[in-house]
């Protein structure tokens, strides 16, 4: 099955939110902006490894900033994304690296990151922390 981006590009439909080169979509994930914590933990006092931030541009960890996530493939609520971060959490530049992961959007305020080999049965769920934006 073709990705949504490749179907749109093949049809000749272009918009500001679709980048046809490489079938990457520049549109945001359907998540609320804010700080997320591993679903089985409280927002306050959670270890850094259990935190993620989504700002509408990218999904990053606690030591990342200036992240941009591109949707590589979308099937229903499952998104394969590639994320590049250009700075460390303190804003200092770093050599950008790109990571790939599969994100299942459960609601506007929750998602699960799954390992490709585990399908949708494994992975780690995250929830939006109240008052974060």
């Amino acid at each position: 099955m073709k990705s949504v981006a490749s179907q749109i590009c093949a049809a000749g439909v272009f918009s500001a939110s679709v980048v046809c080169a490489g079938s990457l979509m520049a549109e945001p994930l359907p998540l609320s902006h804010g700080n997320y914590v591993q679903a089985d933990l409280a927002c306050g006092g959670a270890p850094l490894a259990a935190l993620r931030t989504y700002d509408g541009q990218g999904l990053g960890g606690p030591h990342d900033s200036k992240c941009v996530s591109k949707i590589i493939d979308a099937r229903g609520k499952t998104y394969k994304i590639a994320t590049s971060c250009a700075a460390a959490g303190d804003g200092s530049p770093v050599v950008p690296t790109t990571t790939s992961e599969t994100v299942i959007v459960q609601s506007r305020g929750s998602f699960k990151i799954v390992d490709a080999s585990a399908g949708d049965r494994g992975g780690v769920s995250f929830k939006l922390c109240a008052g974060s934006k």
Side-chain angles (χ1 to χ4, degrees), residues 74-99:
R75 297 173 195 257
K77 294 182 177 189
T78 301
Y79 299 85
K80 290 184 182 180
I81 63 171
T83 301
S84 294
C85 299
D90 63 1
S92 60
V94 297
V95 175
T97 57
T98 301
T99 57

Side-chain angles (χ1 to χ4, degrees), residues 38-65:
Q38 195 170 311
D40 59 344
L41 299 174
C43 288
L48 291 178
L51 303 175
R52 290 295 188 109
T53 299
Y54 184 66
D55 63 2
Q57 297 289 317
L59 183 62
H63 298 293
D64 301 325
S65 65

Side-chain angles (χ1 to χ4, degrees), residues 1 3 22 35 49 63 65 70 80 113 126:
M1 181 177 225
S3 72
N35 297 315
H63 298 293
S65 65
K70 301 282 186 188
K80 290 184 182 180
I113 296 177
F126 291 84

Side-chain angles (χ1 to χ4, degrees), residues 19-45:
V19 178
C20 292
S23 295
L24 295 180
M25 297 171 62
E27 68 184 43
L29 292 167
L31 290 170
S32 295
H33 299 192
N35 297 315
Y36 289 79
V37 67
Q38 195 170 311
D40 59 344
L41 299 174
C43 288

Side-chain angles (χ1 to χ4, degrees), residues 88-111:
D90 63 1
S92 60
V94 297
V95 175
T97 57
T98 301
T99 57
S100 296
E101 52 196 0
T102 299
V103 177
I104 298 172
V105 175
Q106 298 165 317
S107 71
R108 298 270 312 151
S110 65
F111 64 90

